[in-house]
Amino acid sequence: MFDVLNPEGQYVKAVTLMGEGDPLSDLYLLVKNRLYVVTDFLQAAMAAQGMQGAVGEEEEAEPMAVRCFKLEGDLLSAR
């Protein structure tokens, strides 16, 4: 769920984007009319820092992937 603000910074509405993803481990970036989702970001970042327990002893960290979605229509009406 994201808050939409007008150019003056005033709250306009909240929007919910439905789709696959894990808000606890993925990274979400909004850039203009694009939503980028970096999957398994948290696990990969923790593993890169050498944190113990970030990934099970027998498991390897899932590779990150970047997904890009174009936001159109009503989602951009408050720009």
Side-chain angles (χ1 to χ4, degrees):
M1 180 177 251
F2 296 93
D3 290 338
V4 177
L5 308 176
N6 66 17
E8 291 77 36
Q10 299 166 322
Y11 175 83
V12 175
K13 62 182 175 179
V15 295
T16 301
L17 301 177
M18 303 300 290
E20 293 181 22
D22 182 350
L24 299 178
S25 66
D26 296 343
L27 175 67
Y28 297 87
L29 302 166
L30 285 167
V31 180
K32 295 187 180 182
N33 67 337
R34 302 277 196 258
L35 170 66
Y36 296 91
V37 180
V38 183
T39 63
D40 297 308
F41 178 80
L42 181 60
Q43 290 176 341
M46 289 172 41
Q49 295 297 319
M51 296 185 72
Q52 296 291 333
V55 179
E57 296 290 327
E58 301 161 4
E59 296 179 30
E60 206 171 298
E62 289 291 324
M64 290 188 301
V66 178
R67 297 180 181 146
C68 178
F69 302 91
K70 183 177 181 182
L71 305 177
E72 296 181 310
D74 187 52
L75 293 176
L76 300 177
S77 64
R79 290 180 98 212

